[in-house]
Amino acid sequence: MALERTFSIVKPDATNRNLTGAINAMLEAGGLRIVAQKRIHITKAQAGVFYAVHAERPFFDELCEFMSSAPIVVQVLEGENAILLNREIMGATNPADADEGTIRKTYALSLGENSVHGSDAPETAAEEIAYFFAGLELVG
Ligand code: CDP
Ligand code: MG
């Protein structure tokens, strides 16, 4: 399989606890290269666009409130099979279900405040990267 890129977020619960470096170390140790990264503070409306697929879910408002509550670190990760590999390194959405050694098992506070986001498919990875990064930021 060729090199692939995926989109990742270090969420507010993790930036609040100064866990960006620790999470990045787990991503890198797992075989992913951080090829673009920036720390930003998004609005609730911007979070709503990003999570539009969940707009009808009961947790949507709380999720958008949380994602706009503090800075996040948005990233583009590159590696062989990067989308699936990142999901494995992250662990299950609910930390109670996540495997030992995963980011969410190690650091997540709850189902909602679960420390990281990762794209789930090639189409969403491309869309999510394009939502947060301009072409010039993605060279190299
Ligand atoms: O992030 P992931 O792709 O693993 O899960 P998702 O099903 O796409 O949900 C997106 C995010 O919504 C999760 O990471 C949680 O932060 C939040 N969520 C929640 O608060 N309550 C749920 N029952 C499901 C998801
Ligand atoms: Mg998802």
Side-chain angles (χ1 to χ4, degrees), residues 11 51 54 59 63 87 93 104 111-112 114 117-118:
K11 292 185 177 183
Y51 276 121
H54 295 310
F59 58 83
L63 175 61
R87 296 291 308 197
T93 307
R104 283 168 164 170
L111 171 57
N114 60 0
H117 165 86

Side-chain angles (χ1 to χ4, degrees), residues 51-132:
Y51 276 121
V53 66
H54 295 310
E56 304 306 321
R57 309 284 292 279
F59 58 83
F60 180 69
D61 189 71
E62 192 183 358
L63 175 61
C64 296
E65 200 59 64
F66 166 60
M67 292 299 289
S68 57
S69 66
I72 59 176
V73 176
V74 293
Q75 308 173 313
V76 180
L77 309 177
E78 186 176 86
E80 295 286 328
N81 214 8
I83 296 168
L84 193 63
L85 176 59
N86 184 42
R87 296 291 308 197
E88 288 174 5
I89 296 168
M90 291 164 59
T93 307
N94 187 340
D97 301 328
D99 289 338
E100 287 297 333
T102 62
I103 293 171
R104 283 168 164 170
K105 181 69 171 187
T106 306
Y107 292 121
L109 298 177
S110 64
L111 171 57
E113 301 197 11
N114 60 0
S115 303
V116 282
H117 165 86
S119 307
D120 58 12
E123 299 72 31
T124 48
E127 277 176 28
E128 292 172 1
I129 289 169
Y131 186 54
F132 285 100

Side-chain angles (χ1 to χ4, degrees), residues 9-58:
I9 303 178
V10 181
K11 292 185 177 183
D13 68 281
T15 62
N16 279 338
R17 289 177 287 152
N18 287 344
L19 291 172
T20 303
I23 287 171
N24 282 354
M26 291 175 81
L27 295 172
E28 291 183 337
L32 292 166
R33 186 184 307 279
I34 302 164
V35 296
Q37 172 172 260
K38 59 188 173 186
R39 187 173 189 269
I40 58 175
H41 194 155
I42 61 173
T43 65
K44 189 173 177 183
Q46 289 169 333
V49 172
F50 177 70
Y51 276 121
V53 66
H54 295 310
E56 304 306 321
R57 309 284 292 279

